Amino acid sequence: SKKQREISVSEFFAKNRHLLGFDNPAKALLTTIKELVDNSLDAADEARIPAEVDITIDQISEDRFRVTCTDNGPGIVPKNVPLVFGKLLYGSKFHRLKMSRGQQGIGVSAAGMYGLLTTGHAIRVISRTAKNKPANRFEIAIDTQKNHPAVKKQDEIEWDRPHGTSVEIELEASYRKGHHSVDNYIRQISLANPHATLRYRAPDRANDMDLTVYAGVTNELPPETAEIQPHPYGVELGVLMQMLRETKARTVQNFFHTEFSRVSNKVAGDIAKLARVPANRKPAKVDRKEAEALHKAIPQTKIMAPPTDCIAPIGEELLEKALTSIHPAEFITATTRRPVVYRGNPFLVETAIAYGGAELSADDAAIVYRYANRVPLQYQHGACAISKAVAATDWKKYGLQQPKGSVPVGPMVLMVHIASVWVPFTSESKEAIAHYPEIIKEIKLGLQDCGRKLGAHVRRKRRDADEEKK
Amino acid sequence: SKKQREISVSEFFAKNRHLLGFDNPAKALLTTIKELVDNSLDAADEARIPAEVDITIDQISEDRFRVTCTDNGPGIVPKNVPLVFGKLLYGSKFHRLKMSRGQQGIGVSAAGMYGLLTTGHAIRVISRTAKNKPANRFEIAIDTQKNHPAVKKQDEIEWDRPHGTSVEIELEASYRKGHHSVDNYIRQISLANPHATLRYRAPDRANDMDLTVYAGVTNELPPETAEIQPHPYGVELGVLMQMLRETKARTVQNFFHTEFSRVSNKVAGDIAKLARVPANRKPAKVDRKEAEALHKAIPQTKIMAPPTDCIAPIGEELLEKALTSIHPAEFITATTRRPVVYRGNPFLVETAIAYGGAELSADDAAIVYRYANRVPLQYQHGACAISKAVAATDWKKYGLQQPKGSVPVGPMVLMVHIASVWVPFTSESKEAIAHYPEIIKEIKLGLQDCGRKLGAHVRRKRRDADEEKK
Ligand SMILES: Nc1ncnc2c1ncn2[C@@H]1O[C@H](COP(=O)(O)OP(=O)(O)OP(=O)(O)O)[C@@H](O)[C@H]1O
Ligand SMILES: Nc1ncnc2c1ncn2[C@@H]1O[C@H](COP(=O)(O)OP(=O)(O)OP(=O)(O)O)[C@@H](O)[C@H]1O
Ligand SMILES: [Mg+2]
Ligand SMILES: [Mg+2]
């Protein structure tokens, strides 16, 4: 027989590390920063702590860097630390429907694994959950054959912070200035997180006091997001059958009422009635024919759209404020659209435009900032649903130039933010958004909202210019 | 503490099924066919059996189809069948460096999982390894929470084949004609597998005798490919350290000689000498400093390029024959380049051009067939290294029109085949090739090889046409 055997998740992703964003040394540095900062912001937001994140990059040799990310978040309990950092597909964000930057349980373990594979160094962690508890320090190396942590060192230490987490990774990397630079990336993070304070020490700094600070432009935390149940409109037959087998609910009616969002007892009864399945049938006793009937009945039953308190938009006022601070412009507008649904998941689109002013050139292609759940997307723009929607929008009617099927040309910065309980990415590196038609349609509507206001501004400006000539 | 917990591979990919190629019902049908046929061709090629694969698609209802794929391959031993079909990341092709269509241990379990999630139906398998052994029939459903098979049924049956495997999946799907159709896809498979016989029954057939047969255009099997060791030029420090810890070799010299390809005992001694590490040092006793020295010494040591009997090109003659059978043209040329290396993995590029003739229009964009390890790539052309290389090649100098940064315009069919012991894809759906610079460079050289011959033909044709006018 052929030698068929199991492949561990970590072996698979060690070989396929470009799927996680570690294609080359320059990108590896950016991906590492991203995974660390995303985790710190998620943790602080969820614990309702105003996020303060310190990012330091030290250059150790020509192609080796040490990245340290320290936050004032709630910390991680000691018994979970090895698994969090030394096991792929382990985390707190996958099994729930709630907006967060992370969603896979892969990010930080992948960064640690890349560091281990390229330098042999284990990931170093300090974490503390409360002032009256000790700070725990760990050195953890992932065993790639087994996808399991090996704790190299563990002790309790004195730490000047009452709570928080500090992560240090040594990796083969490359530090660039300019377009795809860490400096730009951190600036883009602050744009979408106006409530957070980011303090950044670059590798080429003059001394350790030489620090770039992105202070929060607001003291208000983002709205707290609720965790929701799946909406029945998205569920597939096989998934429904599995849920019926596993539910603790004792009747079909109670099953629909408790396992899904927006299904009242009455609506649950309607579904059962339409399917001609007794409302008090035991879920585990539902056979295939009945499951198929229930599955058919769901889309034919009137069920309220999913709740939207599970998404925290940045908001028009803060978008304009943040965008202006980075790109001072003569005209600025932002729009936050109301939430809609794809595959049963609520999502919403926010767009903002900064136009004109001394800094932006009229002959350059517009700058497009893409965001998903407040995280800047820097790579794979050619594969991204946002780029597709921008190119598919007719910008000529708002007074801009636009080569066919391309980004428009003009003194413009475009910012597009997709916020969802779960974002469909084109790969595990979370760099580009998959082309769901509902999402592309909604982005275009958001761009048109802002475009119309831009068009009015451009026309008004031209009228004024013409009048001056006369 | 936050509810951090483990996520199973199958849970992850059930949610992210667009990463595996199951984005929508039409694509799901194509991906399912692909995964099944790839496995059948791999199995027959490896067992040196002239592949015969029967593919049948039945439409069961408006959006439900049954796909059956039956081969004359070596079969699968009964104790491995549940894991092969009911567990993601389980297979025989990941842990070796040898050219094959599959490489992840995911494909067929993913297709079965998609069928289960959308219809509740288990995957059905019949397999037999020899005439004197019984045929075993199974019904297997993957437990997505645990990534483990649940065998619903298993028995021995009479079967009219002496050996082979038959797989049946029922799934929610959609059947289309035209560009992205199953019919076109199977035709493209035969183009790159001229030794195989494919018999295809479409869902809209008149009756069960209504069959499309792509007979092999050659009786010769593809050259047998050897399995190779990794080449030292690709290895990273952390990986080297791990290999030193795990090797059975008793000395550093023996370690390099046995664990890598192309490292003779002498060359292994050279590496150790350059690193100032005793050649007889026990590998497990090599410390970090010594490992770093060895790692540095590798690229400074002259080591022969990797062996190339691990790749089976289609070959220029068969490429021309197959391409002509599908696109009769007035001019045809093909080139198979010599193998080169990326990340320590051997790969080679083959290109073919069919030009002119009654069927191809001079005003249309050239048709581009992309292949990786003999598998047609149908989607994500915008993300693919092949598309990038085609657009980056200057076709005007061969007499074609070419909009800037675009595929050329002209009566032309382009076929590009990348063959490697391991192909870097942009996602697990294996639809597009990642942009490794070495691969893009080599594709362009292959296109230029064919382009030059095409250019000579176009010029000659124009000279003749001009002469006729005089
Ligand atoms: N700085 C931190 N503070 C508190 N908890 C953290 C921190 N970093 C990680 N965690 C916890 O560890 C888990 C695993 O993190 P990891 O980055 O691997 O996955 P994730 O963030 O859940 O998803 P993704 O792979 O999309 O990043 C998180 O879900 C979170 O519970
Ligand atoms: N028709 C078949 N005949 C013989 N062996 C098969 C057949 N189909 C699958 N197998 C075996 O089952 C294993 C798992 O198949 P699967 O498609 O899941 O993964 P793979 O082909 O190894 O990689 P990939 O995920 O890239 O397709 C294969 O490696 C092969 O050993
Ligand atoms: Mg994370
Ligand atoms: Mg396969």
Short mmCIF file of all heavy atoms in Angstrom, two decimals, chain A residues 286-314:
data_model
loop_
_atom_site.label_atom_id
_atom_site.label_comp_id
_atom_site.label_asym_id
_atom_site.label_seq_id
_atom_site.Cartn_x
_atom_site.Cartn_y
_atom_site.Cartn_z
N VAL A 286 -35.24 13.70 14.00
CA VAL A 286 -35.60 14.23 12.68
C VAL A 286 -34.86 13.44 11.61
O VAL A 286 -33.63 13.37 11.63
CB VAL A 286 -35.23 15.73 12.59
CG1 VAL A 286 -35.43 16.24 11.17
CG2 VAL A 286 -36.06 16.54 13.57
N ASP A 287 -35.60 12.83 10.68
CA ASP A 287 -34.92 12.06 9.65
C ASP A 287 -34.58 12.95 8.45
O ASP A 287 -34.92 14.13 8.42
CB ASP A 287 -35.76 10.85 9.21
CG ASP A 287 -37.07 11.26 8.53
OD1 ASP A 287 -37.13 12.35 7.94
OD2 ASP A 287 -38.05 10.49 8.60
N ARG A 288 -33.95 12.34 7.45
CA ARG A 288 -33.46 13.10 6.29
C ARG A 288 -34.58 13.87 5.60
O ARG A 288 -34.45 15.05 5.33
CB ARG A 288 -32.77 12.14 5.31
CG ARG A 288 -32.62 12.73 3.90
CD ARG A 288 -31.86 11.79 3.00
NE ARG A 288 -30.46 11.77 3.41
CZ ARG A 288 -29.59 12.74 3.13
NH1 ARG A 288 -29.97 13.77 2.42
NH2 ARG A 288 -28.36 12.66 3.54
N LYS A 289 -35.70 13.18 5.31
CA LYS A 289 -36.80 13.84 4.59
C LYS A 289 -37.28 15.07 5.35
O LYS A 289 -37.54 16.13 4.76
CB LYS A 289 -37.99 12.86 4.43
CG LYS A 289 -37.81 11.84 3.31
CD LYS A 289 -38.96 11.92 2.29
CE LYS A 289 -38.65 11.31 0.95
NZ LYS A 289 -37.47 11.97 0.32
N GLU A 290 -37.42 14.91 6.68
CA GLU A 290 -37.91 16.03 7.49
C GLU A 290 -36.88 17.17 7.52
O GLU A 290 -37.23 18.34 7.45
CB GLU A 290 -38.19 15.54 8.92
CG GLU A 290 -39.39 14.60 8.97
CD GLU A 290 -39.56 14.01 10.35
OE1 GLU A 290 -38.55 13.64 10.99
OE2 GLU A 290 -40.73 13.91 10.79
N ALA A 291 -35.59 16.79 7.59
CA ALA A 291 -34.55 17.82 7.60
C ALA A 291 -34.58 18.60 6.28
O ALA A 291 -34.45 19.83 6.26
CB ALA A 291 -33.17 17.19 7.80
N GLU A 292 -34.78 17.88 5.19
CA GLU A 292 -34.85 18.56 3.89
C GLU A 292 -36.05 19.50 3.84
O GLU A 292 -35.98 20.60 3.30
CB GLU A 292 -34.94 17.53 2.76
CG GLU A 292 -33.65 16.72 2.60
CD GLU A 292 -33.61 15.94 1.29
OE1 GLU A 292 -34.37 16.28 0.37
OE2 GLU A 292 -32.79 15.00 1.19
N ALA A 293 -37.16 19.07 4.42
CA ALA A 293 -38.35 19.92 4.41
C ALA A 293 -38.12 21.17 5.26
O ALA A 293 -38.51 22.28 4.87
CB ALA A 293 -39.53 19.12 4.95
N LEU A 294 -37.50 20.99 6.42
CA LEU A 294 -37.20 22.15 7.28
C LEU A 294 -36.26 23.10 6.54
O LEU A 294 -36.44 24.32 6.56
CB LEU A 294 -36.55 21.68 8.59
CG LEU A 294 -37.47 20.96 9.57
CD1 LEU A 294 -36.66 20.24 10.64
CD2 LEU A 294 -38.44 21.95 10.22
N HIS A 295 -35.25 22.52 5.88
CA HIS A 295 -34.27 23.33 5.17
C HIS A 295 -34.96 24.15 4.07
O HIS A 295 -34.64 25.33 3.85
CB HIS A 295 -33.20 22.42 4.57
CG HIS A 295 -32.07 23.17 3.94
ND1 HIS A 295 -31.82 23.14 2.58
CD2 HIS A 295 -31.13 23.99 4.46
CE1 HIS A 295 -30.78 23.90 2.31
NE2 HIS A 295 -30.34 24.43 3.42
N LYS A 296 -35.91 23.53 3.38
CA LYS A 296 -36.67 24.25 2.34
C LYS A 296 -37.54 25.34 2.94
O LYS A 296 -37.76 26.39 2.33
CB LYS A 296 -37.58 23.25 1.60
CG LYS A 296 -37.03 22.70 0.30
CD LYS A 296 -38.17 22.34 -0.67
CE LYS A 296 -37.64 22.03 -2.06
NZ LYS A 296 -36.79 20.78 -2.03
N ALA A 297 -38.06 25.08 4.13
CA ALA A 297 -39.02 26.01 4.73
C ALA A 297 -38.36 27.30 5.22
O ALA A 297 -38.99 28.36 5.26
CB ALA A 297 -39.73 25.33 5.90
N ILE A 298 -37.08 27.22 5.56
CA ILE A 298 -36.41 28.40 6.14
C ILE A 298 -36.47 29.62 5.22
O ILE A 298 -36.96 30.69 5.64
CB ILE A 298 -34.95 28.07 6.52
CG1 ILE A 298 -34.90 27.14 7.74
CG2 ILE A 298 -34.16 29.36 6.83
CD1 ILE A 298 -33.52 26.59 8.04
N PRO A 299 -36.00 29.51 3.96
CA PRO A 299 -36.04 30.71 3.11
C PRO A 299 -37.46 31.16 2.77
O PRO A 299 -37.67 32.29 2.33
CB PRO A 299 -35.28 30.30 1.84
CG PRO A 299 -35.16 28.82 1.88
CD PRO A 299 -35.35 28.37 3.28
N GLN A 300 -38.45 30.27 2.97
CA GLN A 300 -39.83 30.66 2.66
C GLN A 300 -40.51 31.30 3.85
O GLN A 300 -41.67 31.73 3.77
CB GLN A 300 -40.63 29.43 2.21
CG GLN A 300 -40.06 28.80 0.93
CD GLN A 300 -40.77 27.51 0.55
OE1 GLN A 300 -41.75 27.12 1.20
NE2 GLN A 300 -40.28 26.86 -0.46
N THR A 301 -39.81 31.34 4.98
CA THR A 301 -40.39 31.94 6.19
C THR A 301 -39.82 33.34 6.38
O THR A 301 -38.63 33.57 6.19
CB THR A 301 -40.02 31.08 7.42
OG1 THR A 301 -40.42 29.73 7.19
CG2 THR A 301 -40.70 31.62 8.68
N LYS A 302 -40.71 34.25 6.78
CA LYS A 302 -40.25 35.63 6.98
C LYS A 302 -39.45 35.70 8.30
O LYS A 302 -40.01 35.50 9.38
CB LYS A 302 -41.46 36.57 7.03
CG LYS A 302 -41.06 38.04 7.04
CD LYS A 302 -42.03 38.92 6.26
CE LYS A 302 -41.56 40.38 6.27
NZ LYS A 302 -40.10 40.49 5.95
N ILE A 303 -38.13 35.96 8.17
CA ILE A 303 -37.29 36.05 9.36
C ILE A 303 -36.55 37.38 9.33
O ILE A 303 -36.00 37.77 8.29
CB ILE A 303 -36.24 34.89 9.39
CG1 ILE A 303 -36.95 33.53 9.29
CG2 ILE A 303 -35.40 34.95 10.66
CD1 ILE A 303 -36.01 32.35 9.17
N MET A 304 -36.55 38.08 10.45
CA MET A 304 -35.89 39.40 10.52
C MET A 304 -34.41 39.32 10.15
O MET A 304 -33.75 38.30 10.43
CB MET A 304 -35.97 39.91 11.98
CG MET A 304 -36.75 41.20 12.11
SD MET A 304 -36.39 42.10 13.63
CE MET A 304 -36.49 40.81 14.89
N ALA A 305 -33.88 40.37 9.54
CA ALA A 305 -32.45 40.42 9.19
C ALA A 305 -31.60 40.26 10.45
O ALA A 305 -32.07 40.53 11.55
CB ALA A 305 -32.13 41.75 8.51
N PRO A 306 -30.34 39.84 10.31
CA PRO A 306 -29.53 39.60 11.50
C PRO A 306 -29.32 40.88 12.31
O PRO A 306 -29.39 41.98 11.76
CB PRO A 306 -28.18 39.13 10.93
CG PRO A 306 -28.45 38.69 9.55
CD PRO A 306 -29.59 39.51 9.07
N PRO A 307 -29.03 40.73 13.60
CA PRO A 307 -28.79 41.91 14.43
C PRO A 307 -27.47 42.56 14.01
O PRO A 307 -26.62 41.89 13.44
CB PRO A 307 -28.64 41.34 15.86
CG PRO A 307 -28.24 39.93 15.65
CD PRO A 307 -28.84 39.48 14.36
N THR A 308 -27.32 43.83 14.28
CA THR A 308 -26.13 44.50 13.77
C THR A 308 -25.30 45.09 14.89
O THR A 308 -24.33 45.79 14.63
CB THR A 308 -26.54 45.61 12.81
OG1 THR A 308 -27.45 46.46 13.53
CG2 THR A 308 -27.24 45.04 11.60
N ASP A 309 -25.65 44.77 16.13
CA ASP A 309 -24.81 45.27 17.22
C ASP A 309 -23.58 44.37 17.37
O ASP A 309 -22.85 44.46 18.34
CB ASP A 309 -25.60 45.30 18.53
CG ASP A 309 -26.17 43.94 18.87
OD1 ASP A 309 -26.00 42.99 18.05
OD2 ASP A 309 -26.80 43.80 19.92
N CYS A 310 -23.37 43.50 16.36
CA CYS A 310 -22.18 42.64 16.40
C CYS A 310 -21.06 43.26 15.59
O CYS A 310 -19.98 42.67 15.45
CB CYS A 310 -22.53 41.26 15.85
SG CYS A 310 -23.36 41.38 14.27
N ILE A 311 -21.32 44.43 14.99
CA ILE A 311 -20.30 45.09 14.17
C ILE A 311 -20.03 46.50 14.73
O ILE A 311 -20.97 47.21 15.07
CB ILE A 311 -20.77 45.25 12.72
CG1 ILE A 311 -21.21 43.89 12.15
CG2 ILE A 311 -19.65 45.82 11.86
CD1 ILE A 311 -21.77 44.01 10.76
N ALA A 312 -18.75 46.88 14.82
CA ALA A 312 -18.40 48.22 15.31
C ALA A 312 -17.77 49.03 14.18
O ALA A 312 -16.57 48.91 13.91
CB ALA A 312 -17.42 48.12 16.47
N PRO A 313 -18.57 49.84 13.46
CA PRO A 313 -17.97 50.67 12.41
C PRO A 313 -17.06 51.73 13.03
O PRO A 313 -17.18 52.04 14.21
CB PRO A 313 -19.18 51.33 11.74
CG PRO A 313 -20.26 51.30 12.76
CD PRO A 313 -20.02 50.11 13.64
N ILE A 314 -16.14 52.27 12.22
CA ILE A 314 -15.29 53.35 12.72
C ILE A 314 -16.14 54.62 12.87
O ILE A 314 -15.99 55.37 13.81
CB ILE A 314 -14.11 53.60 11.74
CG1 ILE A 314 -13.28 52.31 11.63
CG2 ILE A 314 -13.25 54.76 12.21
CD1 ILE A 314 -12.26 52.33 10.50
#
